[in-house]
Amino acid sequence: MAADGGSSSLGLPCVFSPKSRQYLALCAQDGRLRIWNTDSKTLHQEYVPSAHLSATCTCIAWGPCRTVKEGPQRKKRKSEAGQPEERADLLAMGTAAGSVLIYSTAKGALHCTLDGGHSGGVNSVQWHPEDSLLYSGSADTHIIEWDLQTGKTRCKWKADRAAVTSLCVSPDGKLLLSAGHIIKMWDLETKEIYRKFTGHSTAVRTLRFATTRPPDSNGLYFLSGAEHDRLLSVWQVREDGNDKNSVVSFTLTDEPQHIDLSTSTSKEEAVRLAVVCKDGQLHLFEHFLNGPCKKPLSPSCSVQMAGTQDSPVPVPLLAAALGTDTGTVLLAYGNHLQPVMERVEINTAERHICLTRDVQTTLSLSMETAVSKVKTPIVNAKSRVLVPGLPGHQAPIKGTSQGSEKRKKGTDTKEMSIEERLGEIDLSTVSSVKGAPKGTPSLQTDNFAVLLVQGLESSDAGILNKVFQTRKDAVIKKTVSRLPLPAVLPLVEEITKRLQGHPFTAVLMVRWLKAVLMHHTSYLSSLPDLVTQLGVLYHMIESRVRMFHKLTKLHGKLYLLMTQVATSDSSNTVTDVDHTAKLVYEEESSDEDEASGDEGLPDDNSDNWEEEEVMEETMEQDMEGQADEEEEDQDSRTESKANGEEDMEHENESEEE
Amino acid sequence: MASFKPTKIQVYPKLGEKVTQDTLYWKNYKAPVQIKEFGAVTNIDFSPVAPHNYAVTAFTRIHIYGPFSQEPVKSFTRFKDTAYCGRFRSDGQLLVAGCEDSVVRLFDVSGKVALRMFKGHTKAVRVTDFTSDRYHILTGSDDYTCRLWDIPNSTELTSYQEHTDYIRCGITSKLNRDLFITGSYDHTLKLFDARVNKSVMTMDHGQPVESLLLYPSEGLLVSAGGRYVKVWDLLKGGQPLVSLKNHHKTVTCLCLSSNGQRLLSASLDRHVKVYNTTNYKVVHNFDYAASILSLGLAPDDESIVVGMTNGILSIKHRKSSEETKEISGQQKRRPAYRVFVKGKNYVPKQDDYLVSKPVKQHLAKYDKQLKRFNVSKALDTALETWTRFRKPEITVAVIKELDRRGTLKNALAGRDERGLSQLLNFLVGNLVDPRFAPVLVPATEMILDIYQSVIGQSPVVDVQLQRLQDLLEREIGYQQDLLEVLGMLDTMFTSSLPRKEVPCSGISRPNGLAQGDASAPGPQPQAT
């Protein structure tokens, strides 16, 4: 019964750069770090960590904004001394292997690696706002303070009994929040616990300071969101230490995945909050933090996004950042490999907004632009490139060829766009499928046989219907031949049940029955009680085919009539003139026609008479053309020609009446 | 004067699934109420005392729901990690639950904080139960041990380390306070006696055991594991009685209906199967939307509660008998039964003079019209929409009667476009039915003869005729296939019985069939 809720699906890390929001750093499923420019909506940089498959990136944090002149790493940053404006250029990535990578967007390369500190995966990294310090919390229950100038640990301490899942440094840089299940507030100077906040029953995934006020004024608030929890809790750090419970909570529709907030600096300023939940919805809150509020607050505005297809599919939002003015929100949506960024004006007067975007077209549009600064690893002929996902994809062969291509192209700085790469991956899968035409159908029938056995075992109508709807003879044959012997008799029983219905569906079942009889002849005939087992089936079939003769006759009759109608319809326009001529001839012969005015009257002798006359004539014309068809038909049935003649006689008799 | 004989409606055996008492019983539930829990619902336990609240264990919480409320009456949330197996004591006062953090907690149902914490296991505790004397608790854990605890002084009494894998199910005897059974992922079931310090009986299930159930008499034990449900006779020293394989994925939960006559099993394949406990045949089947982890049946089968992997709790309540009655009462208010029986049971005395009153014959509408020789109208009545779709046998019987009288042609003739297309529609629906074909085929021929002249004049009729033709074409193709199959079967029957001197299924069909039937009892004893 291994089915606990599980903390399996962590959201993929996705962070906007601070202040300007110019970049979006995103670590997708394939383990690569991509930095998107939110203004031009293009891929700015891509970085593939050397161990991106074994040690996936678990968290990302942008370094604090700084102007070039100050900052601790003066030595290393000589090359970029020309840039005067304040910008964030360092990214810290925590990995599942326990190391922390520092990536410089200015250099477009790895700046340094901090490892040897953690024995478990890194769950959270946070920068100190002023000093060149970095904090990382790990599953090994420890927090490490890294000195970035030396690249060494400055301090390491055990923070919790369980894994440290989240960290947050206060805006003034004096306090650090850490959380497993319990939120702890540390004094960073002494590394002692300042406060503890309990209340979450699951691992806390999000911690953010909501205000920048000092703690002694009762004005310091922070937010926390936990796994599987649809509430964001707000905690107040009170002077008297009487802060056992959360003061405010915000209700969400699902676990929070990405949070952005504008911190308030004074009591009069409201905290604005944008939360993207796991279900892809965005919720906006606006609240004045001034003490407890009993009821959970619902969002002032919820935003959903849908595709423009006929049946709109929800498009998940990945991240949202609040703009400087109140109305605008910067959204990232779509999939992690190719997110779409957009600045949206949101009318907060409406409580619920649904945006429709055509993700497909935007995808292709944005992909047309060439990617300038993509770093790809150098691939030797010996090394193998593994690409995640995509079943049936022949990675090793493809990888080497791709690698050589890339090295050639490496000279002219132009790299393959993602579109091209995706296209090649697709092609390779197709070619592999084509290369092994025998492999795939056998796989499929195997699945069918398994499905069929499962369906028979639990008499699951859904599964059985799905299997029995196949029309391919080859599939049916393979499935039946793969069927284990104990399942044969239940299958026959099931088929017997289904044979009784309408011919349209029953025809399919006959195919199955035939396949069973053909493939399992020896097994079936070895059964001692075969007659009793198949007796029901036999009787049923017999009773059904008893009317075969009569039905065939009836069909012949109907066929004749219908073809005549069809030919008369088609030749109506052409032989109109002819037709009248014949009627003129008839008028001469009979005077009784006047008597038969009504068609509804039962005395249809005269009626018939007239019609038959016409029919006979048309029949003669049709006969030659039709005879061939008739013969073909009768050959295919086991009926002899005599039958058709019998029909004719019948016709003649009715004429004579 | 000979009285009019009403048309005889032939009764045909119904096709499709048979409606049994069981289907009626198990279908008599309302539409399910669905409640979203926080995580997978791993256990459901009904309180043994009225009003039969039930405890639902899902993720880190245990919610207690009342019999009709859709909101939890009470919830226990003081778990540090995933909770397991919240079970009531036999007096409904206490509730015990295991947890992923290896601590067993005992709650007062009216309180909130745990009364006792039993610490001692080293891994998650998946099984908890009270013994029948109410003073002890049985627990089973992923550390391979099962232990007995004393409630009053919260101490561990005994610990058994006999299983070699996780213990995932266990049950205590309701009759003897010392007996309990545990099932483990090492494929075994073990019966323990607390008076002895080792197991007294071991049974091999063959698969990791997921669930256990004792019959009220406690002579029989049911275990579920893998795709199998197995029944064991404890009084015969753990002899396996039955092995059932009716699911295609792991069976996760077992349950017994209130009268002990039906066994329910729930599985990851999204089905709940109901077995008859006398012959262990499946008598009913429920389908659910997701894999089922837990199942609970209220006393008297008042409701079926099912917990699924996607965290949805589905509750079906039984339709109350008054409700169904009320509906039928509103439909038609007939005179009371007394009116009809009045005076009927009067026995005439010796000197009474009997005046017999002719019994008034009640005739159906089409019969009345037939009596008056309104053949066309009778056919119209028989072709009314409701009859046509719901009771085609009536329509067919009327056609047959008309044919017998020789007036079918008259009845069929003289129809306008609408009437004719209705008639053809009926034929399209029922012509190929082997029960009706002998009557309907001549009728169809007759219709074609009569309306030959107007074919091609009305597009509506033409469409119907086209449909009829398509149908016939298909049917003929189909029957041809069937004839081939018949041939195959014939060969198979002949080859299967080579010992008999006389070929039992001959070439001439009626003869061969009769002999085939006659030979059927012969091989049968060999099979059984």
Side-chain angles (χ1 to χ4, degrees), chain A residues 1-6 161 181 201-202 227-230 453-455 457-463 471 497-504 506-507 510-511 513-514 517-518 520-521 524-532 534-535 537-559 561-563 565 569 599-600 602 604 607-608 611-612 615 635-638 650-651 654 657, chain B residues 15-17 38-40 42 59-61 77 79-82 84 100 126 168 185 210 227 245-249 252 269-271 273 285 287 293 309 409 414 428-429 431-432 434 437-438 441-442 444-446 448-450 452-457 462 465-466 468-476 478-486 488-490 492-493 495-497 509-510 513 516-517 519-520 523-524 526-527:
Chain A
M1 260 196 245
D4 38 10
R161 275 189 298 173
H181 288 198
S201 59
T202 50
E227 214 170 87
H228 303 299
D229 205 344
R230 291 182 291 186
V453 171
Q454 288 188 346
E457 268 170 12
S458 62
S459 60
D460 187 313
I463 296 179
R471 288 174 182 277
K497 244 189 248 168
R498 284 161 185 259
L499 273 178
Q500 294 164 354
H502 207 264
F504 288 85
V507 164
V510 174
R511 288 198 207 165
L513 185 57
K514 274 187 185 171
L517 291 179
M518 270 190 289
H520 297 285
T521 325
L524 283 174
S525 53
S526 71
L527 285 177
D529 53 346
L530 174 72
V531 179
T532 42
L534 300 184
L537 179 69
Y538 195 91
H539 281 289
M540 204 220 64
I541 295 177
E542 262 213 335
S543 67
R544 185 117 190 191
V545 297
R546 202 169 286 155
M547 291 304 292
F548 185 64
H549 284 270
K550 285 195 171 178
L551 279 175
T552 319
K553 268 196 220 170
L554 183 66
H555 179 242
K557 201 169 185 175
L558 193 59
Y559 185 76
L561 285 173
M562 292 308 285
T563 40
V565 169
D569 275 353
E599 283 188 357
D604 42 4
D607 242 358
N608 267 356
E611 192 63 28
E612 242 75 83
M615 284 244 263
D635 281 332
S636 70
R637 284 168 241 142
T638 49
H650 199 72
E651 292 279 333
S654 65
E657 273 176 7
Chain B
L15 293 178
E17 284 209 3
F38 278 86
T42 52
F59 197 44
T60 58
R61 287 148 209 241
T77 55
F79 290 98
K80 297 255 163 55
D81 211 329
T82 314
Y84 296 109
E100 186 74 39
R126 296 277 192 142
R168 286 291 164 88
Y185 273 15
E210 296 279 1
R227 295 185 291 162
K245 189 185 172 201
N246 291 87
H247 289 282
H248 68 257
K249 284 186 185 163
T252 51
D269 66 5
R270 299 179 283 111
H271 296 292
K273 304 255 175 198
N285 180 29
D287 281 4
L293 288 181
T309 46
K409 198 158 188 176
V428 167
L431 182 60
V432 296
V441 169
T444 317
E445 280 187 7
M446 217 173 271
L448 290 183
D449 288 346
I450 296 167
Q452 233 171 18
S453 52
V454 294
I455 288 173
Q457 287 181 7
D462 280 355
L465 283 174
Q466 194 61 50
L468 194 63
Q469 196 197 345
D470 286 347
L471 177 77
L472 281 173
E473 215 170 293
R474 294 270 185 149
E475 176 69 15
I476 285 165
Y478 172 56
Q479 294 203 351
Q480 220 169 340
D481 279 346
L482 283 182
L483 278 171
E484 280 172 29
V485 170
L486 219 52
M488 288 183 190
L489 285 176
D490 275 339
M492 212 169 270
F493 286 161
S495 64
S496 74
L497 301 162
R509 208 176 299 134
L513 188 69
D517 280 347
S519 71
Q524 215 165 12
Q526 296 170 9

Side-chain angles (χ1 to χ4, degrees), chain A residues 362-375:
Chain A
T362 43
L363 260 179
S364 60
L365 271 176
S366 59
M367 276 190 296
E368 276 165 20
T369 57
V371 180
S372 57
K373 261 190 164 179
V374 179
K375 286 268 170 178

